[in-house]
Amino acid sequence: MKDLLLVGLGGALGAVLRFSVGWWMQRNILTFPLGTFLINILGSFFLGFIMYAVEYGGFVHRELRVFLTIGVLGAFTTFSSLEYESLRLFEEGELSLFFLNLFGNVVLGLGAVVLGKILAGVFFH
């Protein structure tokens, strides 16, 4: 029951953060879905950092990990939005932005997880 509360509270925070970052970015950048792009990269980085910090022996309480990774980051990162926005770019004939959006999110997101792992190793290994 405690885990459900932690995930719910974290999810509410993550959803509000996701909406705020996405709204601000889309207000200022019109064509490319930069809000989702940035959210996915940041979410990937923080997930990589937290999970590898735990693996390397960094002191992260289980409850804090559940709150942050499943709750906050689970609601913050939105690959479903990535897929929808990519399809819209494709449908609108914006093929270069379509490929940039997919490639950038996947490759830079993976790179962010690796960077999070490296930094967790520096701090906790």
Side-chain angles (χ1 to χ4, degrees):
M1 187 65 170
K2 182 164 71 168
D3 284 351
L4 288 176
L5 182 61
L6 290 169
V7 169
L9 291 173
L13 177 59
V16 168
L17 287 170
R18 190 254 178 278
F19 175 81
S20 300
V21 170
W23 174 82
W24 187 87
M25 296 300 284
Q26 285 307 116
R27 234 180 83 215
N28 297 302
I29 311 292
L30 298 178
T31 306
F32 188 74
L34 191 58
T36 300
F37 187 87
L38 180 63
I39 287 163
N40 286 333
I41 302 309
L42 288 173
S44 296
F45 168 77
F46 286 117
L47 183 62
F49 182 83
I50 292 165
M51 295 307 288
Y52 283 100
V54 169
E55 183 177 317
Y56 292 149
F59 188 70
V60 178
H61 283 99
R62 186 183 105 32
E63 290 86 1
L64 180 60
R65 182 179 50 79
V66 167
F67 173 78
L68 290 174
T69 61
I70 300 170
V72 175
L73 294 175
F76 183 70
T77 57
T78 53
F79 266 76
S80 59
S81 293
L82 164 69
E83 300 300 332
Y84 171 77
E85 291 168 346
S86 295
L87 179 60
R88 296 296 301 156
L89 288 170
F90 182 81
E91 290 173 340
E92 293 167 6
E94 298 283 353
L95 295 183
S96 58
L97 292 177
F98 166 77
F99 286 112
L100 174 64
N101 194 37
L102 286 177
F103 178 80
N105 273 287
V106 172
V107 172
L108 292 177
L110 181 59
V113 171
V114 170
L115 180 59
K117 175 183 179 179
I118 291 167
L119 289 177
V122 168
F123 289 112
F124 301 111
H125 199 239

